[in-house]
Amino acid sequence: MSGSYMGNGFTGHSGGWGHGQGHPGPNLWEAMDQLRGMFEQKVAPRMGRGDVRAAVLALLAERPMHGYQIIGEIAERSGGAWKPSAGSVYPTLQLLADEGLISAEESNGRKTYSLTEAGQAEAEASADRPAPWQTSGARDSGPMGALPKAGIELAQAAAQLGRTGTPEQIAQAVEVIDDARRRLYSILAQS
């Protein structure tokens, strides 16, 4: 891996990452952030507007909620596999209101949304289908979804250790990650 391009946009240094003092350089943390971002791009489901719409209707069929509650519920129910942005949820809420499927009530400066009768009928019509967060979470359950998720979790742990670990802990982490990389390549060599 010595200074080599790893086919993913960042380079590594042999013998661990760092500046020769046992301390990782900024390149390690930048590389871990890039790695996490790449995995998230490949793993994160690309949900369409219809999926956000269906998710909002399904959640509001249970109880009235405000926008950030909807985002949080989707993220929780998908096991973190799908967390729609406010930029996709709030326009969807506006569209549903324009269609007469939901209404908003403002309280303490926050809008809480609930289904109208027409919205309830639409939610009931699709109640027999799996919820959108269930279909997006299915990508995590198979072996092809588990590996990127594990990579994301590794990158998050390494980034946390980089922010809060002692130099000795960081040196140990670099050894563990280097060993893991070698072991992964040995798995490929078995085929």
Side-chain angles (χ1 to χ4, degrees):
M1 189 161 110
S2 178
S4 65
Y5 182 78
M6 295 175 19
N8 54 16
F10 57 84
T11 59
H13 304 281
S14 64
W17 299 77
H19 298 303
Q21 303 163 354
H23 300 328
N27 290 342
L28 172 64
W29 313 125
E30 290 171 15
M32 293 308 288
D33 283 340
Q34 287 177 356
L35 178 65
R36 184 176 62 237
M38 289 181 328
F39 273 125
E40 287 173 349
Q41 286 175 0
K42 298 219 186 295
V43 174
R46 302 283 186 242
M47 304 304 287
R49 283 196 179 119
D51 295 314
V52 174
R53 183 179 196 278
V56 168
L57 288 170
L59 290 172
L60 293 179
E62 295 176 11
R63 70 178 199 280
M65 295 184 195
H66 58 76
Y68 282 102
Q69 283 177 308
I70 291 169
I71 293 168
E73 282 291 321
I74 292 170
E76 184 177 322
R77 293 179 190 208
S78 70
W82 177 32
K83 184 176 182 185
S85 69
S88 63
V89 169
Y90 283 99
T92 301
L93 288 167
Q94 183 61 53
L95 179 65
L96 291 170
D98 292 347
E99 293 174 4
L101 300 176
I102 66 171
S103 62
E105 183 178 306
E106 191 160 343
S107 175
N108 298 327
R110 177 171 271 166
K111 286 185 181 179
T112 300
Y113 300 90
S114 57
L115 293 179
T116 62
E117 284 185 35
Q120 188 67 41
E122 184 153 332
E124 288 172 7
S126 60
D128 59 336
R129 287 181 258 156
W133 52 82
Q134 291 171 325
T135 57
S136 70
R139 291 181 67 173
D140 292 283
S141 60
M144 294 307 289
L147 180 62
K149 184 176 181 197
I152 291 169
E153 291 169 353
L154 174 63
Q156 289 171 337
Q160 175 68 29
L161 200 135
R163 288 188 297 273
T164 62
T166 65
E168 294 80 20
Q169 290 171 325
I170 292 169
Q172 287 176 342
V174 169
E175 288 178 29
V176 167
I177 291 171
D178 282 346
D179 182 57
R181 178 184 40 80
R182 285 188 292 275
R183 292 178 67 186
L184 288 171
Y185 280 124
S186 74
I187 292 169
L188 280 174
Q190 294 172 12
S191 54

